[in-house]
C-alpha cells in the first residue's frame, strides 16, 4: 500500500494521469481511522455535520468552532489521507480578512490541510485572499447547500442554458482565482463533463455523474446510517442503521434478562481482601 500523504500536488497529478480521486466525509476520530486505513485519498470534514451529526435540517447552523472541533478530532485519526475542512455559513462572506482568519483557524487549530468554500465568481476575491495566506482552497459549485434559501430547497442546478453557462463561468473564475479543485454538486452529468474538460484542476462530483475527476459522498449515506433523506445520487454500501438497531436491542434484552454481563466480563478481588469486606 502507498504510504505517502495525499496533497494538493497529488490532486493535480491524479488529473494529469487520469486517476480518479476518492473522497468521503468524516466527522470524528474513530471513523477517520477507518477511512484512512481504507486508502481514501482525502477526507472532507463537511458542514453536512450540521445535519448528520447535529440533527439540524440544514447546514446553516454550523459554526467555525464546530468545524475546528471536528477537524481536530478527524486529524488525530489520519496518517496519509488529506484533510479538507469546510468553511461554514457566514465564515467567509463578510470580508476577505475575516475569511482568511477563519480559514487559518481550520488550519492552525483544526489541523486541516486545506479548506473548502461554496460559491463561484462572487467568491474569487475571497479565494485569492485565502490562497495568498498560503492556504489551499477547494471550490464548490452547483447545489451549494448554504444557499438553499435562495435556491428554494435542495435542487439540481444548471439545467437551463443560462444557469449552465453561469456554472461554467464560475468554474473558470475559481480556477483563475487559484483553487486546487472544485466540487460539483447535483449538476447534470453532461454539464459536469464540459466543466471537467474545460478546467485544468480536478472536479470532484457528488451527484454530477461519471465524468468528474473524482467522487465524494457523505459517509453516513454510504453506510446507511442517516435515514432522514437519501438523495438519488447516493449508493448505499451497507445498512448500518439495521445492524446498530439490532445490536442495541439485543444488548438491552441481555441486560433485562441477566444474560449480560457474564463471568468473563467481570473483574475479581483477592479472597483475603474480600473476607475483610463482609
Ligand atoms: O458538507 C459536505 O459534506 C459537502 C460535501 C457533500 C461536498 O459539502
Amino acid at each position: 500500500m502507498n504510504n505517502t500523504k495525499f496533497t494538493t500536488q497529488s490532486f493535480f497529478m491524479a488529473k494529469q494521469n487520469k486517476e480518479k480521486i476518492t473522497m468521503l466525509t468524516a466527522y470524528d476520530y474513530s471513523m477517520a481511522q477507518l477511512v484512512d486505513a481504507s486508502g481514501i485519498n482525502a477526507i472532507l470534514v463537511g458542514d453536512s455535520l450540521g445535519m448528520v451529526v447535529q440533527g439540524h435540517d440544514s447546514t446553516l447552523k454550523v459554526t467555525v468552532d464546530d468545524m475546528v472541533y471536528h477537524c481536530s478530532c478527524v486529524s488525530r485519526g489520519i496518517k496519509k489521507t488529506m484533510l479538507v475542512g469546510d468553511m461554514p455559513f457566514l465564515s467567509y462572506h463578510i470580508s476577505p480578512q475575516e475569511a482568511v482568519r477563519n480559514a487559518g483557524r481550520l488550519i492552525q487549530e483544526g489541523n486541516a490541510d486545506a479548506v473548502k468554500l461554496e460559491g463561484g465568481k462572487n467568491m474569487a476575491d475571497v479565494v485569492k485572499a485565502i490562497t495568498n495566506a498560503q492556504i489551499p482552497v477547494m471550490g464548490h459549485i452547483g447545489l451549494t447547500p448554504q444557499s438553499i434559501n435562495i435556491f428554494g430547497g435542495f435542487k439540481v442546478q444548471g439545467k437551463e442554458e443560462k444557469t449552465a453557462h453561469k456554472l461554467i463561468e464560475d468554474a473558470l473564475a475559481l480556477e483563475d482565482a487559484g483553487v486546487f479543485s472544485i466540487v460539483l454538486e447535483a449538476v447534470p452529468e453532461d454539464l459536469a463533463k464540459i466543466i471537467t474538460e474545460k478546467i485544468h484542476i480536478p472536479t470532484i462530483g457528488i451527484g454530477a455523474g461519471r465524468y468528474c475527476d473524482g467522487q465524494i459522498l457523505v459517509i453516513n449515506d454510504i453506510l446507511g446510517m442517516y435515514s432522514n433523506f437519501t438523495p438519488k445520487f447516493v449508493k448505499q454500501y451497507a445498512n448500518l442503521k439495521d445492524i446498530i438497531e439490532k445490536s442495541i436491542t439485543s444488548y438491552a434484552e441481555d441486560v433485562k434478562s441477566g444474560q449480560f454481563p457474564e463471568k468473563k466480563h467481570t473483574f475479581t478481588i483477592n479472597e483475603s481482601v474480600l473476607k475483610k469486606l463482609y
Side-chain angles (χ1 to χ4, degrees):
M1 182 177 288
N2 185 355
N3 273 330
T4 48
K5 175 136 176 134
F6 209 77
T7 63
T8 51
Q9 290 309 312
S10 320
F11 268 77
F12 302 134
M13 293 301 291
K15 176 141 185 158
Q16 262 177 25
N17 298 336
K18 299 194 181 345
E19 285 164 16
K20 295 278 186 185
I21 298 165
T22 55
M23 287 190 72
L24 273 176
T25 67
Y27 315 101
D28 65 41
Y29 170 78
S30 307
M31 196 62 90
Q33 275 189 315
L34 297 175
V35 175
D36 185 74
S38 312
I40 287 284
N41 297 141
I43 286 179
L44 171 71
V45 179
D47 64 353
S48 48
L49 70 84
M51 300 172 79
V52 301
V53 177
Q54 297 176 331
H56 298 300
D57 57 7
S58 77
T59 58
L60 301 178
K61 299 271 193 320
V62 178
T63 65
V64 177
D65 284 344
D66 293 335
M67 294 308 306
V68 166
Y69 172 75
H70 286 279
C71 283
S72 67
C73 295
V74 166
S75 74
R76 289 187 284 275
I78 58 179
K79 292 193 179 83
K80 53 190 190 307
T81 311
M82 180 172 160
L83 175 51
V84 183
D86 226 353
M87 303 272 303
F89 180 57
L90 282 192
S91 69
Y92 53 100
H93 304 80
I94 304 200
S95 70
Q97 285 83 353
E98 226 178 283
V100 174
R101 171 75 56 213
N102 287 323
R105 286 196 62 200
L106 296 192
I107 304 292
Q108 279 191 320
E109 300 171 48
N111 293 321
D113 301 307
V115 300
K116 174 173 86 56
L117 56 82
E118 298 181 6
K121 219 175 188 170
N122 59 331
M123 284 298 153
D125 286 347
V126 172
V127 169
K128 281 183 194 156
I130 299 175
T131 49
N132 271 340
Q134 308 307 305
I135 300 172
V137 181
M138 175 178 256
H140 182 167
I141 57 175
L143 197 187
T144 44
Q146 291 170 17
S147 311
I148 47 159
N149 290 329
I150 298 283
F151 293 154
F154 293 95
K155 293 182 183 159
V156 177
Q157 301 296 308
K159 283 180 124 177
E160 317 301 330
E161 191 183 333
K162 193 169 161 208
T163 53
H165 269 303
K166 182 179 177 308
L167 285 177
I168 295 171
E169 279 169 24
D170 280 340
L172 291 168
L174 284 173
E175 176 176 36
D176 199 45
V179 300
F180 68 91
S181 171
I182 303 177
V183 170
L184 301 179
E185 179 162 353
V187 299
E189 179 174 74
D190 289 325
L191 174 59
K193 183 170 187 276
I194 292 172
I195 293 174
T196 301
E197 286 167 1
K198 273 189 186 287
I199 61 178
H200 304 92
I201 50 171
T203 55
I204 306 294
I206 171 162
R210 293 164 289 177
Y211 306 109
C212 294
D213 299 304
Q215 297 290 328
I216 182 166
L217 284 173
V218 169
I219 194 148
N220 301 56
D221 288 336
I222 70 160
L223 297 180
M225 291 169 73
Y226 182 73
S227 51
N228 294 15
F229 169 67
T230 308
K232 170 185 167 154
F233 54 74
V234 168
K235 181 168 176 184
Q236 197 181 309
Y237 288 85
N239 190 346
L240 291 199
K241 180 176 175 285
D242 276 5
I243 295 175
I244 292 170
E245 278 174 6
K246 275 188 197 131
S247 308
I248 294 171
T249 309
S250 302
Y251 162 73
E253 282 168 5
D254 281 358
V255 171
K256 295 247 186 234
S257 67
Q259 279 181 292
F260 175 82
E262 297 168 42
K263 177 110 179 88
K264 66 180 176 192
H265 302 119
T266 65
F267 302 103
T268 53
I269 189 170
N270 191 292
E271 280 289 319
S272 59
V273 179
L274 185 61
K275 267 187 202 144
K276 288 186 194 137
L277 298 179
Y278 278 108

